[in-house]
Amino acid sequence: RSRKLLKRLVATPMVRGHYLASFVLSRVVFLGLEAAVLIGFAWIAFGVAVHGSVFTLVIVCALGALAFGAALRCSWPAVPRPSKGSPGCSIS
């Protein structure tokens, strides 16, 4: 809100659906890369093998990312913000 990002996005010629699709696509791509790196590291370093369906693994990774993202969005308003008059962290 402080940087007025949404107002600038509305002023651009980009369609809102394209912005949302690019955000979702970037999250999916990075999720795939992250899961591949983690599973590859577990296989190389610890000898962990994936037993079962790869499709099920993909679904579980996607649901975990969705749940983490939802929990993060729900808890974000609870993060205390310092008042404008006092810089730094304040304990109340």
Side-chain angles (χ1 to χ4, degrees), residues 15-78:
V15 180
R16 290 180 185 153
H18 290 173
Y19 174 71
L20 180 62
S22 69
F23 184 73
V24 169
L25 184 64
S26 69
R27 295 286 299 240
V28 168
V29 167
F30 284 117
L31 170 67
L33 290 173
E34 182 179 340
V37 167
L38 286 173
I39 293 169
F41 178 77
W43 179 59
I44 291 170
F46 304 114
V48 175
V50 176
H51 296 288
S53 171
V54 174
F55 179 72
T56 304
L57 179 64
V58 169
I59 296 296
V60 168
C61 287
L63 288 175
L66 182 66
F68 179 73
L72 192 61
R73 283 184 192 90
C74 289
S75 66
W76 186 253

